[in-house]
Amino acid sequence: MKNPNVPSWMKQLTGFAGIIGASALIGFPAWAHINSQTTVANATQTQQVAGNVKPAAAPASMAATKDIVAIASGDAQFNTLTKALGAADLVTTLQGKGPFTVFAPTDAAFAALPKATLDDLLKPANKAKLTKILTYHVVPGAVLSTSLKSGEVATVEKSKLKVEVKGGKVKVGGANVVKADIKASNGVIHVIDKVLMPPDVK
C-alpha cells in the first residue's frame, strides 16, 4: 500500500535510485554512460579508500535487518540527526525501501553550528528549509566506499555534492568521512564530521 505521506520527490526515487545519477560515485566516465539499467551492483569498483576512513565492522546478521532510521536512532552519536529527521517528517521516508546512501553528521557536527541556527531549523515554521538541508545529505542508491571516486554526485535535494578522494582520505562537500559503510537493510550510512549546506542555503 502506498504511503500518502511520502513526499512527491520520493515517489520518483525508486526509478532514479538505479541510475545513481553521478559519475562521481561509480566507475563510469560520464553521464552519457549511465542509463536506466545501471545499478550499483553492476558498477565497476574503482577506488579503495583508507586513511581517515574507518570501514564499519561487518554487521551481524540481525544488524542488516535494521533500516537507516533504526540504526541512527540506536546510535548515541546521531541523537541530533534523529531529532532533525523527525522535525522534517523524513523518518517514514528513510524507513522506506530505498535504497539510500546517507552522509550522516554526528552530534558534534551539529554542535559546531551556531546554537541559534540549529534551534531555528528545528522550528515547525522552518520545516521546508530543514528538509532541504537533510535531503542534501542523501544520495539515491546504496553506494559503498569502494565505489567512491572524485567528482560530483546528485543528491535527493537535487543539488550536486562534491566528492574528493585523495591520499586515502575522503571528503564530501568539505566534510570528512570518518566512518564508512554502515550497512542498513535499505542502504548505507557514511559518518561525516560536518553538516552540509546546499549551495542556495545560507
Side-chain angles (χ1 to χ4, degrees):
M1 179 178 294
K2 296 184 178 178
N3 189 334
N5 295 319
V6 175
S8 60
W9 56 264
M10 287 305 304
K11 295 179 181 179
Q12 301 175 355
L13 191 56
T14 301
F16 183 55
I19 300 175
I20 311 303
S23 58
L25 293 183
I26 56 179
F28 290 90
W31 286 88
H33 295 82
I34 302 174
N35 56 48
S36 61
Q37 300 304 313
T38 302
T39 65
V40 172
N42 62 26
T44 304
Q45 293 185 345
T46 60
Q47 179 67 55
Q48 294 290 332
V49 295
N52 69 330
V53 180
K54 300 176 182 179
S61 57
M62 287 302 291
T65 65
K66 293 183 179 180
D67 60 49
I68 288 169
V69 174
I71 290 175
S73 62
D75 192 324
Q77 69 180 327
F78 296 134
N79 288 333
T80 306
L81 176 60
T82 300
K83 183 178 181 180
L85 290 173
D89 283 340
L90 290 175
V91 171
T92 300
T93 296
L94 290 179
Q95 287 176 328
K97 183 178 180 180
F100 312 103
T101 296
V102 177
F103 295 103
T106 61
D107 287 350
F110 278 103
L113 295 174
K115 186 176 186 302
T117 297
L118 181 57
D119 290 344
D120 197 51
L121 285 173
L122 294 174
K123 292 178 180 178
N126 293 317
K127 178 180 174 181
K129 185 175 182 180
L130 179 61
T131 299
K132 185 178 182 67
I133 291 171
L134 293 176
T135 54
Y136 187 59
H137 292 72
V138 182
V139 174
V143 185
L144 297 176
S145 62
T146 48
S147 294
L148 286 169
K149 59 179 294 187
S150 296
E152 291 185 328
V153 55
T155 66
V156 167
E157 186 271 332
K158 295 183 181 179
S159 296
K160 291 184 179 180
L161 191 60
K162 185 177 181 180
V163 177
E164 298 178 81
V165 180
K166 185 177 181 181
K169 297 181 180 180
V170 179
K171 285 190 174 183
V172 181
N176 295 302
V177 176
V178 297
K179 190 172 184 180
D181 301 339
I182 300 176
K183 296 178 182 178
S185 61
N186 61 342
V188 61
I189 298 171
H190 301 300
V191 185
I192 58 176
D193 63 358
K194 179 181 177 183
V195 178
L196 308 176
M197 293 291 177
D200 58 349
V201 173
K202 296 181 181 181

